[in-house]
Amino acid sequence: MNPPLAPRRLVVADLACRRGEREIFTGLSFTANPGEIVLLRGPNGAGKSTLLLALCGFLTPAAGRIDWQGGDPERDFGEDLHFIGHLSAIKPSLTLAENLEFWADMLGGMRERVASALDLAGLGGLADYPASVLSAGQSRRLALARLLVAPRPVWLLDEPTAALDSAGDRWVASLIDEHVANGGIAIAATHLDLALTDASRLQTLRIGSRQQ
């Protein structure tokens, strides 16, 4: 297991987000403590991805407060989080190893973790292949392997098991289990149940769609 992560705590109060003139959600409040998992549930268009973008700082809320507490006061909160969105952000012309080396450098991670991360992702035998040869599921595994080369206390995951088979689902659940056991926070938007081992660490946040 990795050394304990610098703890972060998240407090969201009366949050509202809009896209154009459309109100996505309003009055959203919750807290995520170190060692906890928050599953975001709701129909398509309810605002799960919008909430993750707001938590990253990529989208400015219409109202309310997002407060990232704790961590190193010398670091911006963005340096303490991983965001894995719908797109895998893979460079197809680079090998799998080169892709992870790029992300290790970009995220202040460790190149020496690349080989083990590929092995854990079930991609070790493909390290020197161009990413263009990967299937959708393998591309998703490569994207998620970024979590392993640059440990950060907060994971924001948008449909992390998309395109994965049952073995991939179990692998993602094991990654999240270890992350929160190590003091991290994981917030995941998902339509599917995750095979997590400790339900006591889990809270489910249901976001309802509001149409103008």
PDB file of all heavy atoms in Angstrom, residues 10 20 32 48 55 65 73 76 80 90 95 103 105 112-113 136 138 141-142 160 172 176 179 201:
ATOM      1  N   LEU A  10     -13.932  17.763   1.639  1.00  0.00           N
ATOM      2  CA  LEU A  10     -14.745  18.566   0.733  1.00  0.00           C
ATOM      3  C   LEU A  10     -16.074  18.909   1.388  1.00  0.00           C
ATOM      4  O   LEU A  10     -16.767  18.023   1.907  1.00  0.00           O
ATOM      5  CB  LEU A  10     -15.007  17.794  -0.558  1.00  0.00           C
ATOM      6  CG  LEU A  10     -16.023  18.400  -1.533  1.00  0.00           C
ATOM      7  CD1 LEU A  10     -15.538  19.743  -2.075  1.00  0.00           C
ATOM      8  CD2 LEU A  10     -16.297  17.435  -2.685  1.00  0.00           C
ATOM      9  N   GLY A  20     -25.818  27.547 -19.932  1.00  0.00           N
ATOM     10  CA  GLY A  20     -26.610  28.522 -20.671  1.00  0.00           C
ATOM     11  C   GLY A  20     -27.744  29.027 -19.802  1.00  0.00           C
ATOM     12  O   GLY A  20     -27.532  29.445 -18.668  1.00  0.00           O
ATOM     13  N   ALA A  32     -17.616  15.282   1.915  1.00  0.00           N
ATOM     14  CA  ALA A  32     -16.815  14.078   1.676  1.00  0.00           C
ATOM     15  C   ALA A  32     -15.559  14.175   2.522  1.00  0.00           C
ATOM     16  O   ALA A  32     -14.789  15.126   2.395  1.00  0.00           O
ATOM     17  CB  ALA A  32     -16.455  13.952   0.200  1.00  0.00           C
ATOM     18  N   LYS A  48     -24.526  15.074 -13.206  1.00  0.00           N
ATOM     19  CA  LYS A  48     -23.413  14.365 -12.554  1.00  0.00           C
ATOM     20  C   LYS A  48     -22.068  14.844 -13.101  1.00  0.00           C
ATOM     21  O   LYS A  48     -21.153  15.176 -12.330  1.00  0.00           O
ATOM     22  CB  LYS A  48     -23.560  12.846 -12.760  1.00  0.00           C
ATOM     23  CG  LYS A  48     -24.860  12.264 -12.224  1.00  0.00           C
ATOM     24  CD  LYS A  48     -24.932  10.764 -12.366  1.00  0.00           C
ATOM     25  CE  LYS A  48     -24.910  10.283 -13.811  1.00  0.00           C
ATOM     26  NZ  LYS A  48     -26.068  10.748 -14.589  1.00  0.00           N
ATOM     27  N   LEU A  55     -16.420  20.704  -9.326  1.00  0.00           N
ATOM     28  CA  LEU A  55     -15.506  20.330  -8.247  1.00  0.00           C
ATOM     29  C   LEU A  55     -14.052  20.468  -8.675  1.00  0.00           C
ATOM     30  O   LEU A  55     -13.179  20.776  -7.857  1.00  0.00           O
ATOM     31  CB  LEU A  55     -15.783  18.893  -7.791  1.00  0.00           C
ATOM     32  CG  LEU A  55     -17.148  18.634  -7.168  1.00  0.00           C
ATOM     33  CD1 LEU A  55     -17.286  17.155  -6.798  1.00  0.00           C
ATOM     34  CD2 LEU A  55     -17.379  19.507  -5.941  1.00  0.00           C
ATOM     35  N   ARG A  65     -21.299  27.060  -2.588  1.00  0.00           N
ATOM     36  CA  ARG A  65     -19.901  27.047  -2.163  1.00  0.00           C
ATOM     37  C   ARG A  65     -19.295  25.664  -2.318  1.00  0.00           C
ATOM     38  O   ARG A  65     -19.920  24.657  -1.991  1.00  0.00           O
ATOM     39  CB  ARG A  65     -19.836  27.483  -0.695  1.00  0.00           C
ATOM     40  CG  ARG A  65     -18.462  27.495  -0.074  1.00  0.00           C
ATOM     41  CD  ARG A  65     -18.506  28.170   1.284  1.00  0.00           C
ATOM     42  NE  ARG A  65     -19.397  27.486   2.202  1.00  0.00           N
ATOM     43  CZ  ARG A  65     -18.992  26.558   3.080  1.00  0.00           C
ATOM     44  NH1 ARG A  65     -17.729  26.212   3.139  1.00  0.00           N
ATOM     45  NH2 ARG A  65     -19.869  25.997   3.902  1.00  0.00           N
ATOM     46  N   PRO A  73      -0.948  23.699   2.514  1.00  0.00           N
ATOM     47  CA  PRO A  73      -1.367  25.070   2.204  1.00  0.00           C
ATOM     48  C   PRO A  73      -0.570  25.717   1.079  1.00  0.00           C
ATOM     49  O   PRO A  73      -0.992  26.737   0.520  1.00  0.00           O
ATOM     50  CB  PRO A  73      -1.158  25.813   3.532  1.00  0.00           C
ATOM     51  CG  PRO A  73      -0.168  24.996   4.292  1.00  0.00           C
ATOM     52  CD  PRO A  73      -0.430  23.575   3.882  1.00  0.00           C
ATOM     53  N   ASP A  76      -2.033  24.342  -4.624  1.00  0.00           N
ATOM     54  CA  ASP A  76      -3.382  24.584  -5.111  1.00  0.00           C
ATOM     55  C   ASP A  76      -4.174  23.287  -5.027  1.00  0.00           C
ATOM     56  O   ASP A  76      -3.619  22.189  -5.196  1.00  0.00           O
ATOM     57  CB  ASP A  76      -3.321  25.068  -6.562  1.00  0.00           C
ATOM     58  CG  ASP A  76      -4.697  25.373  -7.115  1.00  0.00           C
ATOM     59  OD1 ASP A  76      -5.203  26.472  -6.887  1.00  0.00           O
ATOM     60  OD2 ASP A  76      -5.255  24.475  -7.774  1.00  0.00           O
ATOM     61  N   ASP A  80      -3.982  18.356  -6.041  1.00  0.00           N
ATOM     62  CA  ASP A  80      -4.298  17.223  -5.178  1.00  0.00           C
ATOM     63  C   ASP A  80      -5.393  16.336  -5.743  1.00  0.00           C
ATOM     64  O   ASP A  80      -5.888  15.448  -5.054  1.00  0.00           O
ATOM     65  CB  ASP A  80      -4.726  17.725  -3.787  1.00  0.00           C
ATOM     66  CG  ASP A  80      -3.536  18.055  -2.903  1.00  0.00           C
ATOM     67  OD1 ASP A  80      -2.408  17.690  -3.271  1.00  0.00           O
ATOM     68  OD2 ASP A  80      -3.737  18.671  -1.844  1.00  0.00           O
ATOM     69  N   ILE A  90      -5.747   9.984 -24.332  1.00  0.00           N
ATOM     70  CA  ILE A  90      -4.610   9.147 -24.725  1.00  0.00           C
ATOM     71  C   ILE A  90      -4.079   9.648 -26.055  1.00  0.00           C
ATOM     72  O   ILE A  90      -4.855  10.000 -26.958  1.00  0.00           O
ATOM     73  CB  ILE A  90      -5.059   7.676 -24.842  1.00  0.00           C
ATOM     74  CG1 ILE A  90      -5.319   7.104 -23.444  1.00  0.00           C
ATOM     75  CG2 ILE A  90      -4.038   6.831 -25.587  1.00  0.00           C
ATOM     76  CD1 ILE A  90      -6.004   5.759 -23.475  1.00  0.00           C
ATOM     77  N   THR A  95       3.422   5.074 -27.407  1.00  0.00           N
ATOM     78  CA  THR A  95       3.223   3.760 -26.822  1.00  0.00           C
ATOM     79  C   THR A  95       2.472   3.904 -25.500  1.00  0.00           C
ATOM     80  O   THR A  95       2.346   4.998 -24.940  1.00  0.00           O
ATOM     81  CB  THR A  95       4.557   3.048 -26.559  1.00  0.00           C
ATOM     82  OG1 THR A  95       5.253   3.744 -25.528  1.00  0.00           O
ATOM     83  CG2 THR A  95       5.408   2.978 -27.821  1.00  0.00           C
ATOM     84  N   TRP A 103       2.058  11.420 -18.559  1.00  0.00           N
ATOM     85  CA  TRP A 103       1.193  11.824 -17.465  1.00  0.00           C
ATOM     86  C   TRP A 103       1.948  11.881 -16.142  1.00  0.00           C
ATOM     87  O   TRP A 103       1.665  12.742 -15.301  1.00  0.00           O
ATOM     88  CB  TRP A 103      -0.016  10.897 -17.379  1.00  0.00           C
ATOM     89  CG  TRP A 103      -1.040  11.242 -18.414  1.00  0.00           C
ATOM     90  CD1 TRP A 103      -1.368  10.526 -19.528  1.00  0.00           C
ATOM     91  CD2 TRP A 103      -1.845  12.421 -18.449  1.00  0.00           C
ATOM     92  NE1 TRP A 103      -2.324  11.183 -20.250  1.00  0.00           N
ATOM     93  CE2 TRP A 103      -2.645  12.344 -19.606  1.00  0.00           C
ATOM     94  CE3 TRP A 103      -1.974  13.523 -17.615  1.00  0.00           C
ATOM     95  CZ2 TRP A 103      -3.547  13.343 -19.949  1.00  0.00           C
ATOM     96  CZ3 TRP A 103      -2.885  14.516 -17.953  1.00  0.00           C
ATOM     97  CH2 TRP A 103      -3.655  14.414 -19.115  1.00  0.00           C
ATOM     98  N   ASP A 105       5.023  12.803 -15.803  1.00  0.00           N
ATOM     99  CA  ASP A 105       5.729  14.086 -15.846  1.00  0.00           C
ATOM    100  C   ASP A 105       4.764  15.260 -15.667  1.00  0.00           C
ATOM    101  O   ASP A 105       5.040  16.210 -14.923  1.00  0.00           O
ATOM    102  CB  ASP A 105       6.476  14.246 -17.172  1.00  0.00           C
ATOM    103  CG  ASP A 105       7.606  13.249 -17.351  1.00  0.00           C
ATOM    104  OD1 ASP A 105       8.044  12.642 -16.345  1.00  0.00           O
ATOM    105  OD2 ASP A 105       8.061  13.061 -18.505  1.00  0.00           O
ATOM    106  N   GLU A 112       9.032   5.692 -12.514  1.00  0.00           N
ATOM    107  CA  GLU A 112       9.381   4.339 -12.099  1.00  0.00           C
ATOM    108  C   GLU A 112       8.150   3.501 -11.756  1.00  0.00           C
ATOM    109  O   GLU A 112       8.260   2.282 -11.610  1.00  0.00           O
ATOM    110  CB  GLU A 112      10.335   4.365 -10.903  1.00  0.00           C
ATOM    111  CG  GLU A 112       9.836   5.091  -9.669  1.00  0.00           C
ATOM    112  CD  GLU A 112      10.231   6.563  -9.630  1.00  0.00           C
ATOM    113  OE1 GLU A 112      10.393   7.165 -10.716  1.00  0.00           O
ATOM    114  OE2 GLU A 112      10.364   7.098  -8.518  1.00  0.00           O
ATOM    115  N   ARG A 113       6.988   4.132 -11.690  1.00  0.00           N
ATOM    116  CA  ARG A 113       5.753   3.388 -11.424  1.00  0.00           C
ATOM    117  C   ARG A 113       5.049   2.940 -12.709  1.00  0.00           C
ATOM    118  O   ARG A 113       4.028   2.258 -12.638  1.00  0.00           O
ATOM    119  CB  ARG A 113       4.788   4.245 -10.613  1.00  0.00           C
ATOM    120  CG  ARG A 113       5.260   4.513  -9.201  1.00  0.00           C
ATOM    121  CD  ARG A 113       4.160   5.122  -8.372  1.00  0.00           C
ATOM    122  NE  ARG A 113       4.542   5.229  -6.974  1.00  0.00           N
ATOM    123  CZ  ARG A 113       3.677   5.224  -5.965  1.00  0.00           C
ATOM    124  NH1 ARG A 113       2.392   5.116  -6.210  1.00  0.00           N
ATOM    125  NH2 ARG A 113       4.098   5.325  -4.723  1.00  0.00           N
ATOM    126  N   ALA A 136     -11.547  -0.225 -26.823  1.00  0.00           N
ATOM    127  CA  ALA A 136     -12.136   0.792 -25.943  1.00  0.00           C
ATOM    128  C   ALA A 136     -11.882   0.457 -24.477  1.00  0.00           C
ATOM    129  O   ALA A 136     -11.548   1.342 -23.675  1.00  0.00           O
ATOM    130  CB  ALA A 136     -13.632   0.915 -26.217  1.00  0.00           C
ATOM    131  N   GLN A 138      -9.420  -1.401 -23.216  1.00  0.00           N
ATOM    132  CA  GLN A 138      -7.998  -1.228 -22.912  1.00  0.00           C
ATOM    133  C   GLN A 138      -7.634   0.248 -22.803  1.00  0.00           C
ATOM    134  O   GLN A 138      -6.825   0.631 -21.945  1.00  0.00           O
ATOM    135  CB  GLN A 138      -7.159  -1.908 -23.986  1.00  0.00           C
ATOM    136  CG  GLN A 138      -7.210  -3.427 -23.954  1.00  0.00           C
ATOM    137  CD  GLN A 138      -6.554  -4.045 -25.169  1.00  0.00           C
ATOM    138  OE1 GLN A 138      -6.610  -3.495 -26.283  1.00  0.00           O
ATOM    139  NE2 GLN A 138      -5.935  -5.199 -24.992  1.00  0.00           N
ATOM    140  N   ARG A 141      -8.612   1.339 -19.403  1.00  0.00           N
ATOM    141  CA  ARG A 141      -7.652   0.859 -18.414  1.00  0.00           C
ATOM    142  C   ARG A 141      -6.394   1.732 -18.411  1.00  0.00           C
ATOM    143  O   ARG A 141      -5.860   2.047 -17.341  1.00  0.00           O
ATOM    144  CB  ARG A 141      -7.273  -0.596 -18.702  1.00  0.00           C
ATOM    145  CG  ARG A 141      -8.348  -1.614 -18.291  1.00  0.00           C
ATOM    146  CD  ARG A 141      -7.946  -3.020 -18.723  1.00  0.00           C
ATOM    147  NE  ARG A 141      -8.875  -4.045 -18.265  1.00  0.00           N
ATOM    148  CZ  ARG A 141      -8.727  -4.755 -17.152  1.00  0.00           C
ATOM    149  NH1 ARG A 141      -7.654  -4.553 -16.391  1.00  0.00           N
ATOM    150  NH2 ARG A 141      -9.599  -5.664 -16.789  1.00  0.00           N
ATOM    151  N   LEU A 142      -5.921   2.117 -19.603  1.00  0.00           N
ATOM    152  CA  LEU A 142      -4.738   2.962 -19.681  1.00  0.00           C
ATOM    153  C   LEU A 142      -5.010   4.328 -19.046  1.00  0.00           C
ATOM    154  O   LEU A 142      -4.164   4.868 -18.320  1.00  0.00           O
ATOM    155  CB  LEU A 142      -4.302   3.132 -21.130  1.00  0.00           C
ATOM    156  CG  LEU A 142      -3.059   3.998 -21.370  1.00  0.00           C
ATOM    157  CD1 LEU A 142      -1.850   3.447 -20.627  1.00  0.00           C
ATOM    158  CD2 LEU A 142      -2.759   4.110 -22.873  1.00  0.00           C
ATOM    159  N   PRO A 160     -16.241   5.557 -14.488  1.00  0.00           N
ATOM    160  CA  PRO A 160     -14.914   4.929 -14.564  1.00  0.00           C
ATOM    161  C   PRO A 160     -14.917   3.532 -15.160  1.00  0.00           C
ATOM    162  O   PRO A 160     -13.895   3.089 -15.687  1.00  0.00           O
ATOM    163  CB  PRO A 160     -14.449   4.908 -13.102  1.00  0.00           C
ATOM    164  CG  PRO A 160     -15.716   4.944 -12.296  1.00  0.00           C
ATOM    165  CD  PRO A 160     -16.644   5.817 -13.087  1.00  0.00           C
ATOM    166  N   VAL A 172     -11.369  -1.751 -11.075  1.00  0.00           N
ATOM    167  CA  VAL A 172     -11.672  -0.376 -10.684  1.00  0.00           C
ATOM    168  C   VAL A 172     -12.112  -0.325  -9.223  1.00  0.00           C
ATOM    169  O   VAL A 172     -11.672   0.552  -8.455  1.00  0.00           O
ATOM    170  CB  VAL A 172     -12.756   0.227 -11.598  1.00  0.00           C
ATOM    171  CG1 VAL A 172     -13.244   1.562 -11.054  1.00  0.00           C
ATOM    172  CG2 VAL A 172     -12.221   0.399 -13.004  1.00  0.00           C
ATOM    173  N   ILE A 176     -10.319   1.778  -6.081  1.00  0.00           N
ATOM    174  CA  ILE A 176     -11.012   2.723  -5.215  1.00  0.00           C
ATOM    175  C   ILE A 176     -10.934   2.266  -3.768  1.00  0.00           C
ATOM    176  O   ILE A 176     -10.704   3.076  -2.850  1.00  0.00           O
ATOM    177  CB  ILE A 176     -12.468   2.897  -5.674  1.00  0.00           C
ATOM    178  CG1 ILE A 176     -12.506   3.548  -7.059  1.00  0.00           C
ATOM    179  CG2 ILE A 176     -13.257   3.733  -4.670  1.00  0.00           C
ATOM    180  CD1 ILE A 176     -13.889   3.644  -7.672  1.00  0.00           C
ATOM    181  N   HIS A 179      -7.568   3.109  -2.464  1.00  0.00           N
ATOM    182  CA  HIS A 179      -7.394   4.565  -2.378  1.00  0.00           C
ATOM    183  C   HIS A 179      -8.032   5.116  -1.105  1.00  0.00           C
ATOM    184  O   HIS A 179      -7.407   5.898  -0.375  1.00  0.00           O
ATOM    185  CB  HIS A 179      -8.007   5.213  -3.619  1.00  0.00           C
ATOM    186  CG  HIS A 179      -7.959   6.701  -3.629  1.00  0.00           C
ATOM    187  ND1 HIS A 179      -6.775   7.412  -3.662  1.00  0.00           N
ATOM    188  CD2 HIS A 179      -8.950   7.641  -3.598  1.00  0.00           C
ATOM    189  CE1 HIS A 179      -7.023   8.704  -3.664  1.00  0.00           C
ATOM    190  NE2 HIS A 179      -8.336   8.868  -3.623  1.00  0.00           N
ATOM    191  N   ARG A 201     -17.958   2.917   3.980  1.00  0.00           N
ATOM    192  CA  ARG A 201     -17.232   4.083   3.479  1.00  0.00           C
ATOM    193  C   ARG A 201     -18.004   4.834   2.397  1.00  0.00           C
ATOM    194  O   ARG A 201     -17.539   5.846   1.893  1.00  0.00           O
ATOM    195  CB  ARG A 201     -15.881   3.652   2.885  1.00  0.00           C
ATOM    196  CG  ARG A 201     -14.927   2.997   3.865  1.00  0.00           C
ATOM    197  CD  ARG A 201     -13.656   2.562   3.128  1.00  0.00           C
ATOM    198  NE  ARG A 201     -12.690   1.915   3.995  1.00  0.00           N
ATOM    199  CZ  ARG A 201     -11.764   2.549   4.698  1.00  0.00           C
ATOM    200  NH1 ARG A 201     -11.667   3.857   4.624  1.00  0.00           N
ATOM    201  NH2 ARG A 201     -10.921   1.889   5.453  1.00  0.00           N
TER     202      ARG A 201
END
